[in-house]
Amino acid sequence: MRVARYGVSFIALIAPWGAAFAQDSQTIGNPGDEDTIVVTGFQNSLVNRLPIDPIELPFSIEIINRDVIEERGFFNPFDALETLPNVFRRQTELLPGSGGYNIRGLVGSVLTNNRPEGGSRGAGRRDISYIERIEVAKGPASILLGPVIPGGVINQVTKSPMSGDFVDVTLRGGSFGTVRGEVDANFGSLSDSGAIGFRMTAAYEDQQSPQDPEHTETIAIRPVVEVNFSERTRAQFSVAYTKREGVPGSRFAVNEDGSIPDTIEDDTYFGAPSEQGGEDLYYDAELQHEFLDNLKFVLRGSYQDADFEYQTSQDISNYDGGRGFLSGGDATDTMASISYSRGFRNEDVAYGDLQLQGDFQAFGLQQDWVIGSSYRWTKFANDWGYGGALGTLDITDLSSAAVGTPDFDSIVLSQFQDFETDLYSVYGEASIRPFEPLTIVAGVRYDRFERDDARNATFTRDEDVTYRIGGTYQLTDGFNAYVSYAESFIPQRGQMILPGEDYTDPNAATETIAPETATNYEVGLKGRLFDGRVRLTAAAFMLTRQNVATSDPNNIPGGPAFVVATGEQEHNGFEVSADIDVAEGFDLSLSYGYVDAEVTKVINPGNGQDVGDTVPLTPSHTFSVYGSYTVPSGLLADLRVGAGVRGITERPAPRHGIVYDGYTLVDANIAYPLGDAFEVQVNVHNLLDKEYRETVGYDHGTPSAGHRFGNPRTAYLTLRAHF
């Protein structure tokens, strides 16, 4: 049986480790069974801080494992997130598919190995060669990480050393001249005792786009080592270096009604080509020591240094009233402007976490607990300079464009953002089993957040205590129901301008917006049915956010970016995903998500949102269907064919009175082994060549700028070798 995607956490956390690295693992299921799950002791996952069966955790988690990433053939691994319920793309950064994602209508925070990381406009994103699986935990995760947006978190779990020696080589090429090469080398034992394991991945990629000359070139390398000092002491350390550079693509304005002007195609490039690039150095480490059989010490840490240098001269906008292009009548306005600028961002993130874990016997059952303290430091600096107008064009006649040559070297950079943050946290969590079918998981966390803003000469401090409690009840063997309550606390960095101040004045008097808070109630089901042939997860949730910050509608284009508090939002909905073994060799994955996200209270009337408005650009429905068939025997034995559909419905932008279309995409793939060591695979994405927008008008859907097409039909040929 080859499972395509696992919708429940306890199925997907498969890590085939050998004895040298299994001293601190827990096995779920019967050893030797195909579906045995091994959750390794190192805390790279979202689910193994408490050493309990993941099926006992009272919240929803979706897993995309390495097999799925490879089978679906997505060049950008986060594209696979679009196969999950209530997860959709928010904004594109470097290339199509490289932007952020929303979970249940809210921005999803991105982690690496359950540790925080900076983004720097995509420069900090882990290369696909590093990733073993992607986890998406739904709902508030403050008990795990402190201040994070309550929709959920995305965790990139990286590869670790495995037993045995092997080398995997992957070569890939396809549409628009894209090429990629990747090597994954594992050495199960570097010592006679088998106590040291080592693994290294390296990759080169030149990803091209239909918008010639847009492209991004990537170099990525990551070594990781594990050392078992003794039966009770072990450590893991890795360092990842990622460099990306290239030419960014164009984003554009649209008509006042949200439609795309007829002259703009998915390969249209505006303005003058510019350059951008980033370097990211990421270290992480973990040390564990067992004092007793039921008492363990854990020390975890990470450090990231991400730089991103960028130029802009390729986007067109129409900021006349923020309304997009007009045509017809007396108000005809079809002119777009092009300007140029450059900037440099640097982000440093340091994180440390100290824990004590243990268990004890009560009620005749094992009870688990963890207490800990963590610290996170972030320094972010953004220097920026504006070069001025570069040219104009009439959107009805692109040949009319009069675009000059940008002189980026003449732009003087000035401080645009410069701040440091400190987060001090203590927490405790326990799983209590009062009797056999019931597990109660409860946690409490205290966070103190400090922000020192050098540019605005302000210092703020916020603190809060958040809770999570839930229970799971075993309905049948391998199938549980759960209920949970969780809270979140998110300090906000925005400044609210005081009444009577000038919106064009960067030194206008302001006050810092108060923290956002949120609560979430959730019920769900997770587990296996019909002798394990169906693996199901389902959840219904009610999430409420208070004191939500949004951009001030009176902001002046090019001026300071002030915020206002909109009041309250509610995100209510449900989601279901299932993986089904339909017949021998035939697997089917289904997912559907519904969310009703709307503004329920308004603090400042006239701020661009009214009670009853949909949270901007949140589709009510997300869906995905994917089937895979592997020929079990005969002349074409092991030939695999797969096809699927994924999509979202309409995306409202109530501030601008626009509803943007959703989209439905069809993908297909075919793979065939060439002997024992080789496999060839062909993937086609957007098979029907659907024209669609993956980014619409930044965060609030303005028609005046920030729109971008998704990729048209693309095809890639992949050759894999295993030695």
Side-chain angles (χ1 to χ4, degrees):
M1 178 187 69
R2 187 178 191 281
V3 179
R5 180 181 57 78
Y6 301 110
V8 288
S9 59
F10 68 101
I11 300 292
L13 299 177
I14 296 177
W17 288 61
F21 306 112
Q23 293 96 329
D24 190 45
S25 302
Q26 77 182 105
T27 302
I28 304 166
N30 298 318
D33 285 355
E34 187 173 14
D35 292 332
T36 295
I37 302 109
V38 179
V39 181
T40 65
F42 290 107
Q43 288 189 30
N44 296 334
S45 171
L46 291 170
V47 302
N48 63 347
R49 185 163 75 182
L50 283 171
I52 65 173
D53 238 341
I55 194 174
E56 295 180 275
L57 294 172
F59 57 87
S60 176
I61 183 166
E62 304 274 357
I63 307 293
I64 302 173
N65 63 23
R66 182 73 188 186
D67 285 346
V68 173
I69 294 172
E70 291 182 350
E71 181 175 338
R72 299 300 299 268
F74 295 114
F75 237 100
N76 301 290
F78 275 24
D79 283 357
L81 295 172
E82 294 187 58
T83 67
L84 303 181
N86 283 327
V87 181
F88 55 92
R89 181 176 284 112
R90 176 176 59 92
Q91 184 174 332
T92 296
E93 299 288 0
L94 294 176
L95 277 171
S98 65
Y101 280 78
N102 279 21
I103 304 170
R104 295 179 175 176
L106 301 170
V107 177
S109 300
V110 178
L111 315 173
T112 295
N113 291 336
N114 197 17
R115 298 163 172 87
E117 70 164 28
S120 292
R121 287 195 171 183
R125 184 64 47 79
R126 304 302 108 200
D127 185 74
I128 190 174
S129 63
Y130 306 159
I131 295 175
E132 185 65 36
R133 65 180 181 271
I134 301 171
E135 305 173 340
V136 180
K138 307 287 187 67
S142 284
I143 190 64
L144 296 174
L145 303 156
V148 291
I149 296 174
V153 296
I154 302 165
N155 184 38
Q156 306 165 100
V157 180
T158 57
K159 295 176 179 177
S160 294
M162 304 171 68
S163 62
D165 298 341
F166 64 80
V167 176
D168 289 336
V169 179
T170 302
L171 300 176
R172 198 171 193 198
S175 293
F176 322 117
T178 293
V179 294
R180 178 180 174 86
E182 179 181 324
V183 177
D184 181 359
N186 184 84
F187 303 92
S189 177
L190 295 182
S191 65
D192 293 338
S193 65
I196 302 175
F198 179 79
R199 190 171 184 178
M200 175 177 285
T201 57
Y204 170 80
E205 176 181 296
D206 186 5
Q207 188 174 0
Q208 301 287 329
S209 160
Q211 280 191 27
D212 185 46
E214 180 189 20
H215 75 279
T216 295
E217 191 173 9
T218 300
I219 297 173
I221 184 169
R222 177 182 179 267
V224 54
V225 62
E226 277 187 20
V227 181
N228 287 282
F229 297 102
S230 69
E231 290 185 357
R232 292 187 177 272
T233 306
R234 64 196 63 87
Q236 184 183 79
F237 174 78
S238 73
V239 56
Y241 172 77
T242 310
K243 181 178 181 180
R244 292 184 172 97
E245 56 186 15
V247 176
S250 293
R251 288 178 284 197
F252 50 88
V254 297
N255 296 323
E256 182 187 30
D257 62 2
S259 61
I260 300 173
D262 294 336
T263 54
I264 300 179
E265 304 290 342
D266 55 23
D267 60 353
T268 303
Y269 195 90
F270 301 98
S274 57
E275 297 179 351
Q276 62 184 13
E279 285 189 286
D280 179 87
L281 195 59
Y282 186 89
Y283 306 87
D284 69 1
E286 182 171 340
L287 173 67
Q288 297 185 357
H289 176 71
E290 296 179 10
F291 295 109
L292 303 169
D293 290 341
N294 62 348
L295 183 63
K296 183 167 67 175
F297 163 85
V298 179
L299 177 63
R300 306 165 60 238
S302 62
Y303 177 77
Q304 179 187 17
D305 181 4
D307 296 329
F308 183 68
E309 188 169 8
Y310 58 98
Q311 303 169 347
T312 60
S313 57
Q314 73 285 347
D315 297 338
I316 66 169
S317 61
N318 182 316
Y319 278 115
D320 188 0
R323 51 158 171 71
F325 301 116
L326 300 176
S327 61
D330 298 329
T332 298
D333 176 13
T334 59
M335 298 303 295
S337 62
I338 302 172
S339 60
Y340 70 102
S341 63
R342 72 181 182 97
F344 178 80
R345 296 182 177 208
N346 174 257
E347 187 168 13
D348 295 286
V349 181
Y351 173 75
D353 184 20
L354 178 65
Q355 302 174 12
L356 279 178
Q357 300 176 2
D359 63 75
F360 61 94
Q361 293 292 316
F363 313 111
L365 299 169
Q366 179 176 305
Q367 320 296 329
D368 303 294
W369 59 269
V370 59
I371 58 173
S373 177
S374 65
Y375 171 73
R376 185 176 73 200
W377 169 81
T378 300
K379 180 174 175 57
F380 182 81
N382 182 14
D383 295 333
W384 181 79
Y386 180 65
L390 191 62
T392 59
L393 60 85
D394 189 327
I395 200 63
T396 64
D397 180 12
L398 299 186
S399 64
S400 68
V403 181
T405 301
D407 184 6
F408 292 110
D409 293 337
S410 68
I411 299 177
V412 177
L413 299 182
S414 58
Q415 188 183 77
F416 191 69
Q417 291 174 292
D418 187 2
F419 62 84
E420 293 187 29
T421 66
D422 297 276
L423 176 66
Y424 306 87
S425 308
V426 292
Y427 57 86
E429 194 171 14
S431 59
I432 305 298
R433 301 171 183 85
F435 52 90
E436 189 69 47
L438 177 66
T439 301
I440 299 172
V441 179
V444 59
R445 183 180 180 113
Y446 166 78
D447 293 293
R448 188 181 78 191
F449 180 85
E450 297 176 351
R451 176 186 170 95
D452 189 354
D453 194 318
R455 182 177 185 271
N456 297 318
T458 59
F459 177 83
T460 57
R461 175 181 293 165
D462 297 295
E463 57 186 355
D464 201 2
V465 177
T466 53
Y467 303 89
R468 182 172 71 180
I469 185 169
T472 61
Y473 190 88
Q474 185 177 15
L475 301 176
T476 63
D477 185 24
F479 193 73
N480 284 17
Y482 72 87
V483 59
S484 65
Y485 167 81
E487 299 176 344
S488 70
F489 150 75
I490 310 100
Q492 303 184 96
R493 66 176 62 177
Q495 297 291 314
M496 297 189 298
I497 191 169
L498 297 181
E501 293 292 314
D502 184 359
Y503 275 83
T504 64
D505 182 5
N507 298 313
T510 62
E511 64 180 4
T512 302
I513 191 168
E516 173 190 323
T517 59
T519 58
N520 184 69
Y521 297 89
E522 183 167 316
V523 296
L525 300 168
K526 57 168 70 174
R528 304 184 185 199
L529 297 169
F530 305 109
D531 297 324
R533 292 180 58 191
V534 175
R535 295 159 300 279
L536 173 74
T537 182
F541 56 90
M542 297 189 303
L543 188 152
T544 304
R545 305 171 69 199
Q546 296 89 18
N547 203 54
V548 182
T550 187
S551 60
D552 192 319
N554 297 313
N555 284 341
I556 305 300
F562 301 112
V563 300
V564 294
T566 58
E568 183 179 272
Q569 296 177 3
E570 290 188 358
H571 296 243
N572 302 323
F574 64 90
E575 55 206 22
V576 60
S577 59
D579 293 284
I580 306 170
D581 299 337
V582 180
E584 182 182 5
F586 181 28
D587 299 318
L588 185 65
S589 296
L590 311 170
S591 77
Y592 171 75
Y594 169 78
V595 62
D596 178 16
E598 67 175 38
V599 177
T600 52
K601 290 183 182 178
V602 172
I603 295 177
N604 299 301
N607 67 8
Q609 289 190 331
D610 296 317
V611 172
D613 281 351
T614 300
V615 174
L617 306 182
T618 300
S620 295
H621 308 272
T622 60
F623 52 90
S624 173
V625 179
Y626 179 76
S628 177
Y629 179 70
T630 302
V631 178
S633 60
L635 190 62
L636 297 178
D638 297 323
L639 174 72
R640 187 179 71 249
V641 180
V645 176
R646 53 192 166 97
I648 63 174
T649 54
E650 295 175 330
R651 295 163 283 180
R655 177 176 291 187
H656 303 282
I658 298 172
V659 177
Y660 294 105
D661 291 339
Y663 54 84
T664 300
L665 305 179
V666 177
D667 306 316
N669 61 76
I670 184 170
Y672 188 69
L674 304 175
D676 295 333
F678 297 93
E679 182 184 64
V680 63
Q681 178 173 315
V682 176
N683 290 85
V684 182
H685 300 129
N686 192 6
L687 179 65
L688 303 183
D689 204 22
K690 171 75 173 180
E691 185 178 271
Y692 70 103
R693 273 175 282 181
E694 66 177 24
T695 299
V696 284
Y698 303 118
D699 289 339
H700 289 276
T702 175
S704 58
H707 293 253
R708 179 180 175 113
F709 286 106
N711 273 335
R713 181 191 298 118
T714 56
Y716 300 103
L717 173 68
T718 303
L719 177 65
R720 298 188 183 93
H722 178 78
F723 304 103

